[in-house]
Amino acid sequence: MLNNEVKPCGRLSDIKIHFLFLGVFLQEKLDMSRFRSLLQASLNATKKALTWNIEDLVPPSERYIFNFSSKEELKRWHLYSDSEYGGLSSAALEIKDTGNRSTSVGVFSGNLSLDVMEGSKWNMTRSGFCGMRSKKFDGFIDLDGYDTIALKLKGDGRCYISTIYTENWVNHPGQDEDNSWQAFVFVPKENWYIAKIPLSRYAPTWRGNIINAKMEMNPARIVGMSLSVNAEGGVPGAKSGPGDFEVEVDWIKALRMMQ
């Protein structure tokens, strides 16, 4: 008779033991590989921490906010004047080539008039103002690490007004109108001048009037800026009155003056 029984080539228990030891060996190799990866990552993080310096912990000492080096910058601004309310003042903003092929500047110019259009529906209490205001930023600009606004200007001897707009929390919540903080900027005639205005000098205002209360700007929630000019007011010695105005703007920066 034929024997149909198939005999194994060795005991099954020996095979199981072999694969058991192989699994343990592979698991130990895998655990060792993970351990080495974690150790290397830890060493890299420690090395990076030990090589940090003060520049890694604070922002740069200056930051460009606006740079009038190309016509693209014009898209970030819009103009306003008393003409929206029946006045006769006018303003323009353009980019001018300085003669150096690689540089341009912004030119904010126009005419200030104290006259009011006949038959205007607006009951204006004053006229003679123009301004250039940035369009709202995409979100906020955070200048919490800075203490000064700097503007490189060349003007006509008039006094201008630098305005910072922040998220509305001073006025009634829910209003669309942003909070405004203003400071005078005297611009000497003919020569370039860098005006440096500490943020602490910006006074809270509402529709051009100073709010008579102690308030503090939140520089982390800035939504826009403007530069404007009035026919009347300003600092002593500055040119005033109706007539033409012109100021060239190279750039606007945030500075950290206090170390």
Side-chain angles (χ1 to χ4, degrees):
M1 292 181 61
L2 294 174
N3 189 351
N4 292 326
E5 182 181 359
V6 178
K7 295 183 179 181
C9 299
R11 291 184 301 174
L12 183 60
S13 58
D14 292 339
I15 297 174
K16 289 182 177 179
I17 292 172
H18 173 75
F19 278 105
L20 178 61
F21 278 108
L22 179 60
V24 172
F25 174 75
L26 291 175
Q27 184 63 44
E28 288 178 348
K29 292 282 288 184
L30 181 61
D31 290 343
M32 182 60 69
S33 178
R34 289 175 178 172
F35 174 75
R36 286 174 178 169
S37 298
L38 291 172
L39 178 62
Q40 187 61 50
S42 177
L43 291 173
N44 290 340
T46 303
K47 183 178 179 181
K48 184 177 179 181
L50 293 174
T51 56
W52 274 355
N53 51 43
I54 191 66
E55 283 75 18
D56 298 313
L57 304 177
V58 297
S61 59
E62 64 179 42
R63 172 183 175 179
Y64 275 102
I65 305 173
F66 299 104
N67 190 351
F68 294 83
S69 58
S70 73
K71 291 185 178 180
E72 287 296 309
E73 185 67 24
L74 298 179
K75 298 178 182 179
R76 303 179 65 189
W77 297 84
H78 68 263
L79 298 168
Y80 65 90
S81 71
D82 56 37
S83 62
E84 300 173 26
Y85 309 99
L88 297 175
S89 299
S90 60
L93 177 62
E94 59 183 351
I95 298 295
K96 183 181 80 171
D97 189 350
T98 62
N100 185 335
R101 294 181 181 178
S102 61
T103 59
S104 301
V105 296
V107 181
F108 173 49
S109 62
N111 182 269
L112 298 170
S113 174
L114 298 178
D115 298 327
V116 178
M117 190 182 302
E118 292 185 10
S120 172
K121 66 177 181 179
W122 300 95
N123 184 21
M124 290 189 68
T125 58
R126 60 179 180 175
S127 61
F129 64 87
C130 294
M132 49 180 278
R133 176 170 176 169
S134 69
K135 296 176 182 178
K136 278 202 172 185
F137 301 136
D138 184 13
F140 304 97
I141 281 189
D142 183 355
L143 298 182
D144 196 33
Y146 301 91
D147 52 60
T148 301
I149 297 297
L151 306 92
K152 186 177 180 181
L153 308 167
K154 183 165 74 170
D156 51 9
R158 285 187 181 272
C159 184
Y160 291 78
I161 301 171
S162 172
T163 305
I164 296 174
Y165 299 97
T166 58
E167 182 184 31
N168 187 344
W169 62 272
V170 174
N171 301 329
H172 297 294
Q175 288 185 350
D176 292 333
E177 194 171 356
D178 302 315
N179 295 147
S180 59
W181 309 78
Q182 297 184 316
F184 285 126
V185 185
F186 172 65
V187 186
K189 293 180 65 175
E190 299 177 354
N191 296 320
W192 282 103
Y193 169 71
I194 298 178
K196 297 179 180 179
I197 313 169
L199 291 178
S200 59
R201 263 187 51 198
Y202 282 84
T205 63
W206 187 71
R207 298 183 181 179
N209 298 308
I210 293 179
I211 299 175
N212 189 21
K214 188 173 181 180
M215 297 176 180
E216 195 170 317
M217 180 196 303
N218 182 0
R221 309 289 281 185
I222 293 176
V223 297
M225 292 185 174
S226 73
L227 187 66
S228 59
V229 59
N230 291 344
E232 299 176 335
V235 299
K239 178 182 177 180
S240 62
D244 294 339
F245 69 89
E246 180 176 303
V247 61
E248 297 181 37
V249 189
D250 190 351
W251 45 253
I252 301 174
K253 294 179 182 180
L255 304 179
R256 189 176 67 254
M257 304 292 291
M258 299 176 63
Q259 301 298 331

